[in-house]
Amino acid sequence: MHKGRKGPERTGLAAVSTALLAMSRRLEVRDVLRTIVVSARELLDAEYAALGVPDDHGGFAQFVVDGISPEQWRAIGPLPRQHGILASMLHKEAPERLADVRQDPRFGGWPAAHPEMSDFLGLPVRDGEEILGALFLANKKGPDGFTDEDEELLALLAQHAAIALTNARLYERSRELTIAEERSRLAHELHDAVSQKLFSLRLTAQAAAALVDRDPARAKDELQQVSALAAEAADELRAAVTELRPAALDEDGLVATLRTHVQVLDRAHTAHVTFTCDGVRALPATQEEALLRVAQEALHNALRHSGADRVEVTLARTDGGGAVLAVRDSGKGFDPRTVRRAGRHLGLVSMRDRAGGVGGRLTVHSEPGTGTTIEMEVPGG
């Protein structure tokens, strides 16, 4: 047994089998990517491992790393582009094994905060002719660098990674179809329920109009019924809509979904709407959904009721590993002492319920003439 190597525990059939089983058991694409990277780094005894899934614009749609701390990852900055050694791995079938990647003419453009890397092993993950990603490792912990055996093992992992990743994508697409079918069903039910309410509302309003001159008291009663029916219709609509988890959230995650939502609102409204994210990459699914719903509600309020010409959405990582969402507007604001009345009008009750439902808390900062800030903080975990 070579000194510094884990011997059979690392390279034996049991270790490889465990890694392959772990990949096959994952159904979410992000979980599959993470499992591939962790398995590759552990089996090949490397300090760093990463897997990048290319997009169609010269960058990476997803880039998963192992061996780098969250602080280092934040300091590195934006996801890499498809250039240099990474581009080479996306276009070559054979593995790239380098004694010192820094000496390769294709090396360059890496951020200053990027960890030092020397020996390097990488290869594409392919499904037939389609390139699913680029898998690479750096800084072999043993004294001799990456070996022929390591190349063979990484190629085996890449073949199974392609299968696991393809299956995960098929699973997610199948689930999206199921979600779409459920949305269609709910849309029909929603249409029927709300249509009935609106029909009743219209008849009651017509009755009130007919009575307003000859029987004002009855007309007043009818108008109160109109108000009640309108509130019921609004509640049914809100309840149905809030049951639908956005498909984009499952596919792209909270940060990308929020960014796209804000961009759409910025184009659709005269107010300038912006989004910034600091250090948040992925959160538990229930937290991501609650944060998105609160952001949507707060943005709706800011754009429809506040009269703001500027709305800022920020999402930042907290010291405990959680996240805090803030939606700030430059609008007219309101007096929080009237929160019982304003709370129902602005949806603050439902936003607080959503925050509390995932272990978080919602705070409201506002004064007349100074705008409003809605903050939601969720814990780490």
Side-chain angles (χ1 to χ4, degrees):
M1 185 185 299
H2 294 289
K3 184 178 180 181
R5 294 164 67 97
K6 296 182 181 178
E9 290 184 359
R10 185 184 72 86
T11 60
L13 180 60
V16 176
S17 176
T18 299
L20 300 184
L21 283 173
M23 287 185 211
S24 64
R25 286 181 179 139
R26 302 295 179 180
L27 294 177
E28 306 287 345
V29 169
R30 280 188 290 182
D31 289 343
V32 170
L33 295 174
R34 166 64 57 189
T35 304
I36 293 168
V37 171
V38 171
S39 299
R41 188 172 81 89
E42 291 179 351
L43 284 172
L44 275 73
D45 209 17
E47 188 174 1
Y48 303 112
L51 194 159
V53 176
D55 60 21
D56 297 325
H57 310 289
F60 286 91
Q62 293 170 297
F63 202 86
V64 179
V65 299
D66 191 44
I68 294 177
S69 70
E71 292 74 22
Q72 287 176 305
W73 187 232
R74 286 197 296 273
I76 289 171
L79 296 182
R81 306 292 296 170
Q82 297 173 29
H83 64 84
I85 193 70
L86 295 183
S88 175
M89 282 194 299
L90 291 171
H91 295 96
K92 291 181 62 177
E93 293 190 17
E96 285 275 3
R97 177 155 46 120
L98 304 170
D100 190 341
V101 68
R102 296 165 298 183
Q103 304 302 316
D104 191 276
R106 297 164 296 179
F107 180 80
W110 290 33
H114 200 287
E116 283 292 318
M117 293 186 175
S118 53
D119 44 329
F120 177 96
L121 176 63
L123 81 170
V125 176
R126 291 176 172 268
D127 178 22
E129 295 298 317
E130 182 185 3
I131 297 176
L132 303 180
L135 176 64
F136 68 88
L137 300 101
N139 296 15
K140 176 82 170 182
K141 293 180 181 178
D144 301 324
F146 293 108
T147 64
D148 291 340
E149 179 190 28
D150 291 326
E151 275 194 25
E152 293 174 4
L153 184 54
L154 191 61
L156 175 65
L157 282 176
Q159 291 173 15
H160 285 270
I163 296 170
L165 189 53
T166 299
N167 287 341
R169 285 180 169 179
L170 290 172
Y171 167 77
E172 290 195 351
R173 287 169 187 164
S174 173
R175 189 175 59 181
E176 285 175 20
L177 289 174
T178 303
I179 291 171
E181 291 171 358
E182 180 66 7
R183 284 168 180 266
S184 178
R185 183 187 66 80
L186 286 174
H188 286 296
E189 291 182 1
L190 174 64
H191 176 269
D192 293 341
V194 176
S195 290
Q196 291 175 10
K197 280 288 189 304
L198 293 177
F199 181 71
S200 299
L201 191 153
R202 185 175 64 178
L203 289 180
T204 308
Q206 289 172 346
L211 291 167
V212 71
D213 290 328
R214 70 172 186 269
D215 194 343
R218 282 188 61 191
K220 183 178 180 180
D221 291 340
E222 295 293 334
L223 287 173
Q224 288 176 342
Q225 183 66 14
V226 167
S227 177
L229 286 169
E232 289 176 15
D235 287 343
E236 287 192 14
L237 179 62
R238 184 186 299 275
V241 170
T242 54
E243 289 301 316
L244 300 175
R245 176 175 166 85
L249 196 59
D250 289 324
E251 181 69 21
D252 303 324
L254 176 64
V255 175
T257 303
L258 262 181
R259 180 174 289 113
T260 300
H261 187 64
V262 166
Q263 288 171 346
V264 170
L265 292 177
D266 185 49
R267 291 194 296 267
H269 293 268
T270 55
H272 184 40
V273 191
T274 61
F275 172 70
T276 56
C277 178
D278 181 15
V280 178
R281 296 190 179 275
L283 295 165
T286 54
Q287 290 188 358
E288 290 201 345
E289 183 173 357
L291 285 163
L292 177 62
R293 295 302 192 190
V294 168
Q296 290 173 327
E297 184 75 45
L299 281 164
H300 173 82
N301 292 338
L303 293 169
R304 295 299 175 91
H305 304 302
S306 75
D309 60 5
R310 186 180 68 260
V311 183
E312 299 173 353
V313 182
T314 61
L315 185 65
R317 184 181 176 87
T318 61
D319 292 338
V324 58
L325 167 80
V327 180
R328 302 179 179 88
D329 69 62
S330 61
K332 58 188 178 184
F334 64 93
D335 186 348
R337 289 175 296 184
T338 65
V339 72
R340 183 167 295 180
R341 292 195 302 272
R344 187 166 298 279
H345 175 60
L346 299 176
L348 296 178
V349 174
S350 65
M351 285 194 278
R352 286 200 171 94
D353 287 345
R354 286 195 176 278
V358 293
R361 60 188 176 89
L362 188 97
T363 55
V364 181
H365 309 278
S366 187
E367 291 181 19
T370 63
T372 300
T373 299
I374 305 289
E375 284 190 351
M376 175 178 167
E377 183 173 349
V378 295

